Each structure stands twice: as C-alpha cells, then as structure tokens.
C-alpha cells in the first residue's frame, strides 16, 4: 500500500485489499474510537471462518474502529453492529423485512444480504475491535454455499452503496454508543424482534458430527442458547448455525 493510511481515515477510497486491514492500521496508529474507512472495491475481502468476501463495485465495504473500554461488552459488539445496521436500513426501507441471523448476518426473505466480521486486537497498552460490514447493495455474489440476495433485489430497484453508507455507519455508531452508555438492553430487544432464529426453531451446527437442537434465545454474553438433542443446554459463541429443514 503506497498512500499513508492516516489519509484514509473517515474517507471512502476507491480500492484496497480489505477495509478491516486499513482500519487495523489506523487503530494501531492511535486513531480515535469511531474512526471508519470504506472502499468502493476490495481485492482481498474476507468473511467469517476464513471465507472470501467478494469485492463487487456498488456493494458496501465499511470498517469501524471500536475502543469500548469495558471488555465484558466485547462479545456484544458483533450483534450490536448488525442490529445497528439493520435498524438504519429498516428505517429507510420500512417495508423490507430485514432480519438478523445470529450472530451478525443481515437476511431478507431467507437469504443473506450482508455480514459482519469483527477482529479484536490487544497489547499491554491498548485494545480495540475492528468491525467490518459487507452489504450486497447492487449485486449479490454467486458461488456461495448459501442463498444470497442484495438490497437492490429486495427493493426491486437499483440501490448503490453510496445511497446507504452514511445511514449504515450512523446506525452502527449509534448502536455502539448505546451499548457503552446503557448496556445491552436495546440491542437485545431489537435482536429478539428481528431474529431469524426464533425460540423453538430447530437448528443444526457443527460438522462431523452435526449437532442439532432447539433455539432458546440469547444469553448474557450474546451467545445463542440451544436446547441440544438429546437434551442439555448448549451455549454457542461463534458457530455457523443453520435452520434444520424437515426431512
Ligand atoms: C461474513 O462472513 O458474513 C462477514 C463478511 C464481512 C465482510 C466485510 S467487507 C468490509 C470488511 N473488510 C473485509 O475484508 N471484511 C469485512
């Protein structure tokens, strides 16, 4: 990277490998809480569990640095960011039924429209979390092992990242400010209102062996509580959880 990363703080740039990498550089250089960077294209974007995240122009790629001092709230940051983004989009498009698939995917009509990747770093002097959100605005990526959609597809008209970037950023920042000031109440209430995984729903997680159970809700750390088969409560923190289809 040739340009000074500090020049990219709170800016939309044309291209980078990953906005999460840029935000991390900014954080390591001491940028304040809430600093953000967005790119029109990403050449090496990544998703959760080491997956690739396509950098299609017209979609949103945005990363925010959070310096929430109370580390007990850290496990709530991914869900709070997803809920904040969903709240902003719901306000702009009230007829679009945007939901949260735990822990931090944005879904519409049973398909994934966006996701959040949080990466934390700490040393003796400081700690921070980089929150990266990818939102399929103009186009949905193909070739994934799950159904995807885009804001444009859901709205029935073309919507470019430029039209929603500020609203999504504000939604995330407001959610984080609320989390710091008043705790997890609002994020938790909104999550339950918009959750894909409703109580009693049958879900599956894990690979070889695959586990299954019924959703109970979320716990005090933002984890998914599941009553597992054949019995017993499990607390899931970062697993890929799928709706279990009837055979
Ligand atoms: C997921 O797997 O659902 C999370 C996807 C997160 C993608 C975003 S795009 C902006 C930021 N930069 C990255 O490399 N990843 C995140």
């Amino acid at each position: 990277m040739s340009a000074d990363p500090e020049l990219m703080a709170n800016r939309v740039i044309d291209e980078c490998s990953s906005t999460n990498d840029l935000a991390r550089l900014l954080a390591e250089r001491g940028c304040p809480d809430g600093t953000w960077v967005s790119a029109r294209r990403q050449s090496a974007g990544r998703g959760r569990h080491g997956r690739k995240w396509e950098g299609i122009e017209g979609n949103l790629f945005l990363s925010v640095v959070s310096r929430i001092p109370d580390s007990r709230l850290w496990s709530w940051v991914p869900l709070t960011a997803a809920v904040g983004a969903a709240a902003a989009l719901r306000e702009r498009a009230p007829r679009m039924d945007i939901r949260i698939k735990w822990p931090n995917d944005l879904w519409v009509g049973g398909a994934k429209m966006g996701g959040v990747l949080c990466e934390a770093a700490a040393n003796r002097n400081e700690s921070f979390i980089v929150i990266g959100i990818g939102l399929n605005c103009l186009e949905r990526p193909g070739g994934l092992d799950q159904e995807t959609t885009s804001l444009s597809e859901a709205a029935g008209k073309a919507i470019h990242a430029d039209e929603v970037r500020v609203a999504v950023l504000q939604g995330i920042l407001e959610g984080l400010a609320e989390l710091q000031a008043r705790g997890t109440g609002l994020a938790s209430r909104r999550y339950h209102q918009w959750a894909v995984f409703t109580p009693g729903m049958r879900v599956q997680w894990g690979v070889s062996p695959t586990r299954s159970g019924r959703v109970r809700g979320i716990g005090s750390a933002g984890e998914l509580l599941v009553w597992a088969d054949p019995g017993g409560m499990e607390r899931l923190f970062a697993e890929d959880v799928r709706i279990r289809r009837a055979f």
Side-chain angles (χ1 to χ4, degrees):
M1 191 189 325
S2 48
D4 181 349
E6 277 165 57
L7 298 176
M8 298 172 185
N10 306 321
R11 297 259 187 290
V12 183
I13 60 167
D14 277 338
E15 183 164 349
C16 67
S17 51
S18 157
T19 53
N20 267 29
D21 291 342
L22 274 183
R24 186 190 174 116
L25 274 178
L26 290 167
E28 285 167 355
R29 292 178 184 206
C31 73
D33 180 50
T35 299
W36 59 273
V37 60
S38 183
R40 296 190 193 285
R41 294 177 300 277
Q42 282 192 141
S43 55
R46 55 183 180 273
R48 293 175 65 232
H49 302 293
R51 297 187 189 107
K52 179 177 181 286
W53 189 265
E54 273 196 50
I56 305 169
E57 182 148 13
N59 289 348
L60 180 70
F61 313 108
L62 169 70
S63 298
V64 179
V65 175
S66 170
R67 295 189 184 276
I68 290 191
D70 183 351
S71 58
R72 288 169 305 178
L73 295 175
W74 282 22
S75 61
W76 278 84
V77 167
L79 194 133
T80 301
V83 164
L89 292 167
R90 280 179 155 264
E91 206 177 299
R92 285 178 65 96
R95 275 179 298 177
M96 203 182 282
D97 190 21
I98 299 173
R99 302 203 154 254
I100 310 288
K101 178 176 167 276
W102 181 90
N104 43 31
D105 281 358
L106 271 63
W107 270 31
V108 177
K112 178 164 171 165
M113 186 170 74
V116 173
L117 172 68
C118 287
E119 297 175 312
N123 57 33
R124 264 189 306 157
N125 307 316
E126 59 163 12
S127 48
F128 59 84
I129 304 177
V130 169
I131 303 159
I133 180 161
L135 186 67
N136 305 330
C137 296
L138 211 50
E139 267 187 56
R140 62 184 163 100
L144 294 180
D145 59 355
Q146 59 184 333
E147 253 197 83
T148 55
T149 188
S150 68
L151 206 49
S152 300
E153 196 167 40
K157 62 174 185 181
I159 300 179
H160 192 281
D162 290 347
E163 296 172 63
V164 296
R165 183 178 290 105
V166 172
V168 169
L169 174 63
Q170 272 172 0
I172 293 173
L173 293 176
E174 282 168 18
L176 293 171
E178 166 75 24
L179 180 67
Q180 288 199 59
R182 279 178 285 275
T184 60
L186 182 65
S188 171
R189 277 195 304 281
R190 283 178 159 170
Y191 168 76
H192 282 107
Q193 216 178 326
W194 303 333
V196 168
F197 294 150
T198 48
M201 181 180 270
R202 288 198 64 77
V203 291
Q204 267 185 334
W205 67 97
V207 273
S208 326
T210 302
R211 312 277 319 279
S212 60
R214 280 187 198 276
V215 171
R216 279 293 174 93
I218 50 173
S220 58
E223 78 277 26
L224 190 70
L225 301 176
V226 177
W227 187 256
D229 303 332
M233 191 68 86
E234 300 254 342
R235 301 171 70 203
L236 308 181
F237 283 88
E239 287 83 349
D240 259 343
V241 179
R242 309 171 289 281
I243 298 171
R244 186 171 168 184
R245 310 277 170 207
F247 299 108

